Amino acid sequence: MDGAYFVGRGEILHWINATLQLSLAKVEEAASGAVQCQLMDMVHPGVVPMHKVYFDAKTEYDMIQNYKVLQDVFNKLRIVKNIEVNKLVKGRPLDNLEFLQWLKRYCDSVNGGIMNENYNPVERRSKGCKERGSKGSNKSSKSLQANRLSGGDSADGGPGVGKVCNNVAEGQYIEQIHQLSEKIADLKVSVDSMEKERDFYFSKLRDIEILCQRPELEHLPMTKAVRKILYAADAKDSPLPDANDIITKSPGLFSDETE
């Protein structure tokens, strides 16, 4: 077996934490692929599009996107390595350990096992998070720093930068959802109110229509005037003048009052 695979978990975790200023406790905490992307960013500055890396990935979809970024980097550098994404995103310890062991051997072969002192891992993570946020990404995912690290939130882009970025983005989405939910609720109340008012007046008009259909009333001028209004088809022109004409032209309708 290749000597790279004899490197223990403790050594792998120490290497990752020291190199990227993280506090991973288990190798499977690197299952999102973000750590691997940043390790490649360290040994090949400028090759990895850090704004596409989700350090706060919690869904398999976001994790797969990270591995796509990593695979693209491998392709650019002509690195022949099969990434078993389906196994890695499941968080299986052995699969993730073996991949990290291989990655450590590769990084050591590039830089001779010497850290790049000019590389600022916190700044690179912070930059990627800010760039992705400025592009309006609508994805919300789990932060390596927020959920797996012991470091707290830091305003200067410390180990909690993933948590800060994630919380800000989630806060904005939650506020937007809250505002839209309130608008929807108000619209529902308005619609319900209008429907009740419509049904109320419709029932009144229906009662009047039924009354006007009584045989002893349907021939009366007043009934004809009311039906003229009820059955008017044109909403623009009021039927009231015509209804008034029916009443005023009916002889004897107001004779009792004039006497």
Side-chain angles (χ1 to χ4, degrees), residues 180-193:
L180 291 173
S181 297
E182 288 184 345
K183 290 182 180 180
I184 291 172
D186 291 341
L187 289 173
K188 285 184 177 180
V189 171
S190 299
V191 170
D192 290 342
S193 178

Side-chain angles (χ1 to χ4, degrees), residues 205-230:
L205 292 172
R206 179 57 181 158
D207 290 342
I208 294 172
E209 181 183 35
I210 293 173
L211 187 64
C212 291
Q213 291 173 349
R214 292 174 62 92
E216 65 271 26
L217 298 176
E218 61 180 358
H219 68 282
L220 296 178
M222 182 61 73
T223 302
K224 293 179 180 180
V226 171
R227 292 174 65 180
K228 183 72 175 178
I229 295 174
L230 285 176

Side-chain angles (χ1 to χ4, degrees), residues 86-194:
N86 291 334
K87 292 182 179 180
L88 295 173
V89 298
K90 298 297 183 183
R92 297 173 181 175
L94 183 58
D95 293 321
N96 280 275
L97 176 61
E98 289 180 353
F99 187 64
L100 290 170
Q101 287 171 331
W102 174 88
L103 190 59
K104 183 180 188 304
R105 184 190 64 174
Y106 173 81
C107 292
D108 288 347
S109 70
V110 174
N111 58 20
I114 301 174
M115 293 185 185
N116 183 354
E117 295 181 355
N118 296 322
Y119 185 78
N120 188 327
V122 175
E123 182 180 346
R124 290 293 289 164
R125 285 196 296 274
S126 178
K127 181 180 179 182
C129 186
K130 289 177 181 176
E131 285 183 1
R132 189 169 67 251
S134 67
K135 292 186 178 182
S137 171
N138 63 348
K139 293 183 175 64
S140 168
S141 37
K142 188 176 184 179
S143 171
L144 284 171
Q145 297 81 8
N147 297 282
R148 300 165 182 167
L149 307 185
S150 59
D153 298 348
S154 61
D156 58 350
V161 65
K163 181 177 180 181
V164 173
C165 180
N166 190 44
N167 288 347
V168 170
E170 286 188 355
Q172 291 175 345
Y173 302 143
I174 291 173
E175 179 63 24
Q176 291 176 0
I177 292 172
H178 181 68
Q179 292 175 357
L180 291 173
S181 297
E182 288 184 345
K183 290 182 180 180
I184 291 172
D186 291 341
L187 289 173
K188 285 184 177 180
V189 171
S190 299
V191 170
D192 290 342
S193 178
M194 287 187 289

